[in-house]
Amino acid sequence: MKNILITGGARGLGKELIDVYYTNGYNVFTVVRKQEDSEKLSKEFTSHFTPIVADLVDDNCIDIIKDNLTKSINHLDILINNAGIPGNAYKIADVTSTEMKALFDIHCLAIIRTTQATLDLLKNSEKPKIVNITSRLGSLSEMASGEFEGREFSYSYITYFLKRVLSKHNTIYL
Ligand SMILES: NC(=O)c1ccc[n+]([C@@H]2O[C@H](COP(=O)([O-])OP(=O)(O)OC[C@H]3O[C@@H](n4cnc5c(N)ncnc54)[C@H](OP(=O)(O)O)[C@@H]3O)[C@@H](O)[C@H]2O)c1
């Protein structure tokens, strides 16, 4: 059976991805922040599914994820780094360093944490994959072309640029 870990599975795209892989027979793991989301998902996905409660902006999540996975599997085939947050400010005049740091933490540092938590298990897979969900707002060329000018997009979504770079690093590393 193939094993997959999807972060941010409580709602949105993450929950849809759980549904797709679950329906296709994968053994699905997800990371959620809240215990109540873990319980809610377990009622919906009743077998070959394991929610892990952890906050991906906390370094402790590395051990929590690793311990939960190694309890039941010896290889991981796919890691999807989907968890993310939007920023509020649209303009540099309004954005705060607190908001920038929060988006940097979940969009960039968190994928280092999940990769460290799963690397040994990924190496045991015949075809390991790390998929990093980013945003077109992290595209330097689209930003530079002025495509997004005057539109009310989160300023701090630019942190997705580094997530794109880190994605390449992940691919090369494996
Ligand atoms: N929707 C779009 O149009 C769009 C466009 C470009 C990129 N994206 C990116 O695509 C991904 C999915 O988008 P979406 O619309 O499905 O997002 P969403 O509905 O806001 O869901 C994001 C999920 O990530 C989880 N999450 C956030 N911070 C976390 C943390 N520190 N630890 C663990 N989980 C955390 C959230 O948990 P809680 O439920 O506990 O809050 C939530 O379940 C995100 O990374 C988003 O930035 C989305």
Side-chain angles (χ1 to χ4, degrees), residues 8-14 31-34 37 54-57 82-85 106-107 133-135 157 160 163:
R11 56 194 163 90
L13 182 61
V31 177
V32 295
R33 281 194 280 203
K34 301 179 208 104
D37 285 328
D55 190 336
L56 295 169
V57 299
N82 161 74
I85 55 171
I106 184 63
H107 295 158
I133 310 281
T134 75
S135 166
Y157 252 27
Y160 270 123
K163 190 172 182 181

Side-chain angles (χ1 to χ4, degrees), residues 105-126:
D105 208 340
I106 184 63
H107 295 158
C108 302
L109 300 183
I111 74 168
I112 304 284
R113 297 184 185 106
T114 55
T115 303
Q116 289 176 344
T118 57
L119 201 52
D120 290 341
L121 289 170
L122 284 163
K123 283 178 178 169
N124 290 341
S125 167
E126 277 177 18

Side-chain angles (χ1 to χ4, degrees), residues 37-151:
D37 285 328
S38 159
E39 288 161 15
K40 213 157 82 185
L41 289 169
S42 294
K43 283 186 189 142
E44 197 173 334
F45 304 102
T46 52
S47 62
H48 61 92
F49 174 73
T50 309
I52 299 168
V53 179
D55 190 336
L56 295 169
V57 299
D58 181 345
D59 282 341
N60 288 333
C61 76
I62 300 171
D63 286 339
I64 296 172
I65 294 169
K66 201 181 220 173
D67 291 349
N68 274 276
L69 292 177
T70 48
K71 261 195 299 200
S72 58
I73 55 173
N74 57 20
H75 74 279
L76 183 70
D77 300 289
I78 308 175
L79 162 64
I80 302 186
N81 286 306
N82 161 74
I85 55 171
N88 293 317
Y90 305 137
K91 297 179 184 162
I92 194 169
D94 303 324
V95 76
T96 62
S97 60
T98 304
E99 181 177 306
M100 288 294 292
K101 282 181 200 162
L103 268 78
F104 176 72
D105 208 340
I106 184 63
H107 295 158
C108 302
L109 300 183
I111 74 168
I112 304 284
R113 297 184 185 106
T114 55
T115 303
Q116 289 176 344
T118 57
L119 201 52
D120 290 341
L121 289 170
L122 284 163
K123 283 178 178 169
N124 290 341
S125 167
E126 277 177 18
K127 279 190 178 177
K129 285 189 184 66
I130 298 176
V131 179
N132 292 322
I133 310 281
T134 75
S135 166
R136 68 198 177 104
L137 296 176
S139 162
L140 287 188
S141 54
E142 285 182 64
M143 275 287 175
S145 73
E147 189 176 327
F148 306 129
E149 258 166 47
R151 298 175 69 180

